[in-house]
């Protein structure tokens, strides 16, 4: 009887990520559960990372590849800063990610990337990638274990698909920040209910364009003061805030 | 007399036990425009004089950021400086990737010193023609190092390299005991005074020809500096406020030279009593 031995270089670590862009902001979120099969490896493993003051990258799929990929992207951004004395613009980071992913076309990073942040013209942006670098700018995208639960919800609530506006009105092109945050949180609480690989905790990164009025954000922050932290240092550039919320642990 | 026969090969000692090629490399450093480094208990700073080829030309860059916690000022061959600073950046990034920590500054300086030493002992290779002043921050506070193409590196409280750097050294030697407790602004003023000493007669420090590199918490005139005080380079308009803080150079009185006593003259010199 022949014995076949094999080594599978990849595994699925579960979890879900989501990003939604607004007129002058971008929200990038991910749950913090890391699993393998029916086991939970850890209840807190971040999947969303700050790259620059205006770019945030969420990675989902195979955690080892995801974590390493983020480190390599950060190194490339550091070289750019050395050469040009400034941060890389968002659309350039998106293109860079494509070339880095395609460079391993024949032994890919098993990672679904979502890049969110503020473009050079001050608009909120979301870029989503497949494991070998195919990418596109969108208004919103969900990826990971609960993608099939969340993306249809976003299609309805963000793109207003299969919805007709009230007579005499049109659907808004962009949603305000409080609405977007509610949609993000509801997406994750609902995904947690019905998908075993989603839960434990939620990290929401909010990237705000330079000079944007912060009143709507301050109202949200006031309700969640102990859960919110600022990552940016100055007040005169883009601002990045992180909100950490609990999700059900079962 | 023997210098010429022993000075073209890197791998040949002179009868006096010297490596002339290495010494010529040190000359290249002395030809570069001046750079000054000094530190206090809380900050380490670099100041450099930028050179330009003429009125129409831009000024040569003298400072490089290596990592959040390390910066360098160069004197000598700029092309060699680029290559070595690139190597330093690679080392710093590799340390963060492999060991998940910022590279200790003394270790980084040792690594380029070792690299430079190779070029002083291999046939066919020439020594690097650039010297560095390196400032770094670690758990024990701010540090300043000098790197030279001989492969030597040393830590200092204050140091200067490049053209007419001895004049700056004299100022630093006179004042260094007060540096430890200086504020950032006071430290920069000291550094600018030291740098000014290296200028030729008709030149002065301006926002165009001066660079300041700073490590440590943000000063009174700075905004948006991180808590650890990441390395930043100040140039152009940002420098003006610090140049204004300098004590104006005294107008020199015409010097009266006292003739030295003639050799073998036993006359008693009448002086002030």
């Amino acid at each position: 009887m022949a014995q076949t031995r094999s080594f599978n270089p990849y595994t699925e670590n579960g979890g879900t990520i989501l990003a939604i862009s607004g007129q002058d902001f971008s929200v990038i979120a991910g749950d913090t559960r890391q699993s393998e099969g029916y086991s939970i490896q850890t209840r807190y493993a971040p999947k969303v990372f700050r790259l620059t003051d205006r770019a945030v990258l969420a990675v989902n799929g195979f955690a080892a590849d995801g974590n390493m990929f983020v480190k390599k992207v950060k190194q490339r951004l550091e070289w750019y800063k050395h050469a040009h004395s400034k941060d890389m613009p968002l659309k350039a980071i998106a293109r860079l990610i494509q070339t880095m992913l395609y460079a391993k076309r024949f032994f890919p990073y098993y990672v679904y990337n979502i890049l969110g942040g503020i473009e050079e013209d001050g608009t909120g942006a979301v870029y989503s990638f497949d494991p070998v670098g195919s990418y596109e700018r969108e208004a919103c995208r969900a990826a990971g274990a609960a993608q099939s639960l969340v993306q249809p919800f976003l299609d309805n609530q963000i793109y207003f698909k299969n919805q007709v506006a009230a007579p005499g009105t049109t659907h808004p092109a962009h949603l305000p920040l409080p609405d977007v945050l509610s949609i993000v949180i509801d997406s994750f609480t609902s995904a947690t209910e019905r998908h075993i690989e989603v839960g434990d905790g939620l990290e929401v990164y909010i990237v705000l364009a330079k000079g944007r009025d912060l009143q709507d954000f301050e109202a949200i922050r006031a309700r969640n003061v102990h859960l919110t932290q600022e990552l940016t240092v100055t007040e005169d550039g883009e601002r990045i805030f992180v909100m950490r919320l609990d999700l059900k642990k079962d | 007399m023997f210098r010429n026969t022993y000075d073209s090969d890197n791998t040949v000692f002179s009868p006096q036990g010297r490596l002339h090629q290495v010494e010529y490399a040190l000359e290249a450093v002395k030809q570069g425009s001046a750079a000054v480094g000094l530190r206090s208990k809380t900050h380490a700073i670099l100041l450099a004089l930028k050179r330009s080829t003429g009125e129409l030309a831009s000024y040569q860059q003298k400072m490089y950021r290596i990592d959040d916690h390390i910066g360098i000022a160069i004197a000598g061959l700029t092309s060699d400086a680029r290559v070595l600073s690139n190597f330093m950046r690679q080392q710093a990034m590799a340390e963060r990737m492999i060991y998940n920590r910022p590279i200790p500054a003394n270790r980084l300086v040792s690594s380029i010193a070792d690299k430079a030493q190779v070029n002083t002992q291999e046939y066919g290779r020439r020594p690097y023609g650039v010297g560095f002043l390196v400032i770094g921050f670690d758990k024990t506070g701010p540090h300043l190092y000098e790197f030279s193409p001989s492969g030597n590196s040393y830590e200092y409280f204050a140091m200067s390299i490049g053209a007419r750097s001895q004049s700056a050294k004299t100022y630093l030697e006179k004042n260094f005991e007060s540096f430890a407790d200086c504020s950032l602004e006071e430290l920069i003023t000291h550094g600018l005074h030291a740098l000014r000493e290296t200028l030729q007669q008709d030149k002065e420090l301006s926002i165009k020809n001066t660079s300041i590199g700073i490590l440590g918490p943000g000063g009174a005139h700075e905004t948006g500096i991180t808590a650890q005080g990441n390395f930043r380079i100040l140039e152009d308009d940002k420098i003006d406020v610090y140049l204004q803080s300098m004590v104006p150079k005294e107008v020199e009185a015409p010097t009266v030279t006292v003739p030295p006593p003639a050799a073998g003259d036993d006359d008693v010199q009448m002086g002030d009593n």
Side-chain angles (χ1 to χ4, degrees):
Chain A
M1 237 302 271
Q3 262 195 337
T4 40
R5 298 162 201 262
S6 69
F7 167 66
N8 182 211
Y10 299 114
T11 189
E12 297 256 25
N13 292 116
T16 298
I17 53 177
L18 159 63
I20 302 173
S21 63
Q23 172 72 41
D24 52 6
F25 66 87
S26 194
V27 176
I28 309 93
D31 70 328
T32 62
R33 174 176 285 178
Q34 188 170 299
S35 49
E36 189 170 12
Y38 287 109
S39 302
I40 294 179
Q41 288 186 338
T42 175
R43 295 195 191 276
Y44 184 73
K47 287 197 275 288
V48 187
F49 302 91
R50 174 196 167 278
L51 297 180
T52 68
D53 275 355
R54 64 180 72 83
V56 171
L57 181 62
V59 293
N60 188 239
F62 174 40
D65 275 358
N67 292 335
M68 207 53 183
F69 183 70
V70 169
K71 286 184 186 177
K72 293 201 176 183
V73 170
K74 281 181 173 175
Q75 276 198 331
R76 293 292 295 271
L77 296 182
E78 180 81 346
W79 280 117
Y80 184 93
K81 252 176 83 172
H82 279 137
H84 300 94
S85 302
K86 66 172 191 150
D87 284 333
M88 210 162 161
L90 194 71
K91 66 193 284 204
I93 299 177
R95 179 56 68 91
L96 171 69
I97 289 175
Q98 171 176 68
T99 59
M100 289 177 72
L101 291 170
Y102 199 80
K104 276 173 65 68
R105 171 68 176 77
F106 301 113
F107 184 16
Y109 290 105
Y110 198 135
V111 183
Y112 289 88
N113 288 289
I114 302 182
L115 174 71
I118 305 295
E119 285 281 16
E120 269 186 315
D121 61 1
T123 54
V126 166
Y127 290 89
S128 64
F129 301 78
D130 82 350
V132 285
S134 167
Y135 81 107
E136 186 186 14
R137 183 176 173 183
E138 297 174 291
C140 67
R141 169 63 65 187
Q147 173 181 25
S148 51
L149 286 74
V150 175
Q151 189 65 50
F153 176 54
L154 264 35
D155 292 342
N156 175 255
Q157 293 291 305
I158 310 281
Y159 294 120
F160 299 103
K161 291 280 169 68
N162 305 117
Q163 248 188 289
V164 176
T169 67
T170 50
H171 294 302
H174 296 284
L175 289 170
L177 179 59
D179 292 15
V180 167
L181 275 171
S182 302
I183 289 172
V184 168
I185 294 170
D186 288 346
S187 299
F188 275 93
T189 49
S190 308
T192 304
E193 286 293 321
R194 292 291 184 177
H195 196 112
I196 60 167
E197 291 174 332
V198 180
D200 290 328
L202 173 62
E203 262 182 0
V204 185
Y205 281 65
I206 304 161
V207 191
L208 302 165
K210 192 184 340 196
R212 181 189 187 277
D213 178 22
L214 292 186
Q215 266 194 336
D216 54 356
F217 174 73
E218 290 297 349
I220 297 161
R221 188 206 246 184
R223 291 195 297 274
N224 298 289
V225 140
H226 301 295
L227 310 167
T228 316
Q229 193 199 344
E230 178 161 8
L231 297 185
T232 39
V233 182
T234 44
E235 292 193 349
D236 43 312
E238 283 78 7
R239 313 278 293 269
I240 303 186
F241 297 90
V242 194
M243 259 173 40
R244 288 188 183 88
L245 305 161
D246 281 334
L247 292 170
K248 285 165 82 171
K249 292 171 185 276
D250 62 0
Chain B
M1 173 195 147
F2 291 120
R3 199 161 144 126
N4 291 340
T5 45
Y6 297 105
D7 70 356
S8 41
D9 245 324
N10 209 2
T11 51
V12 177
F13 275 108
S14 81
Q16 291 79 30
R18 292 152 72 163
L19 290 169
H20 286 299
Q21 274 300 303
V22 177
E23 295 188 13
Y24 297 158
L26 295 171
E27 269 314 302
V29 177
K30 288 181 204 159
Q31 295 299 322
S33 67
V36 169
L38 56 160
R39 66 165 163 100
S40 67
K41 277 203 206 109
T42 53
H43 292 82
I45 62 172
L46 295 167
L47 302 99
L49 196 58
K50 291 187 281 191
R51 235 180 227 162
S52 85
T53 48
E55 293 256 336
L56 299 170
S58 61
Y59 288 80
Q60 183 65 263
Q61 186 188 6
K62 291 280 283 182
M63 266 185 224
Y64 293 89
R65 171 181 169 271
I66 303 298
D67 199 340
D68 285 339
H69 66 300
I70 296 180
I72 65 172
I74 68 161
L77 268 47
T78 314
S79 40
D80 284 3
R82 267 181 49 82
V83 161
L84 274 175
S85 63
N86 226 47
F87 174 77
M88 290 174 86
R89 286 167 172 171
Q90 281 174 347
Q91 293 287 99
M93 275 194 237
E95 190 91 354
R96 282 192 189 272
M97 178 65 103
I98 297 170
Y99 302 110
N100 194 26
R101 58 131 191 228
I103 188 167
N106 65 334
R107 205 163 293 194
L108 181 60
V109 173
S110 296
S111 74
I112 47 167
D114 292 344
K115 190 172 163 70
Q117 190 279 338
V118 171
N119 285 33
T120 69
Q121 207 175 7
E122 240 168 77
Y123 180 70
R125 300 181 76 154
R126 67 157 177 87
Y128 288 99
V130 64
F132 291 164
L133 288 177
V134 183
I135 52 173
F137 228 100
D138 64 21
K139 273 182 282 231
T140 56
H143 299 276
L144 166 68
Y145 303 91
E146 184 199 5
F147 156 79
S148 91
S150 57
N152 283 329
S153 64
Y154 212 73
E155 184 169 2
Y156 290 93
F157 290 110
M159 184 54 174
S160 79
I161 57 175
R164 290 176 289 281
S165 58
Q166 184 52 54
S167 319
K169 257 179 245 177
T170 312
Y171 177 93
L172 294 171
E173 277 165 12
K174 261 196 220 136
N175 292 282
F176 79 94
E177 269 149 346
S178 66
F179 291 168
D181 294 310
C182 276
S183 70
L184 175 60
E185 291 71 37
E186 289 164 346
L187 201 66
I188 293 177
T189 309
H190 273 303
L192 288 170
H193 285 151
L195 192 63
R196 185 169 61 182
E197 298 295 315
T198 69
L199 288 169
Q200 286 167 304
Q201 193 62 7
D202 54 338
K203 300 278 192 284
E204 47 179 50
L205 296 180
S206 74
I207 60 173
K208 284 227 183 93
N209 67 6
T210 311
S211 255
I212 305 179
I214 304 174
L215 257 186
H221 306 294
E222 295 186 288
T223 53
I225 309 298
T226 59
Q228 316 100 289
N230 289 349
F231 181 74
R232 59 262 185 208
I233 301 174
L234 302 183
E235 287 176 317
D236 303 314
D237 292 321
K238 293 207 188 121
I239 304 253
D240 198 42
V241 65
Y242 301 106
L243 291 174
Q244 301 301 330
S245 74
M246 286 200 291
V247 172
K249 209 169 181 179
E250 287 127 28
V251 176
E252 306 231 316
T255 44
V256 177
T257 42
V258 178
D265 192 343
D266 289 329
D267 269 356
V268 174
Q269 300 297 323
M270 300 301 288
D272 294 326
N273 285 330

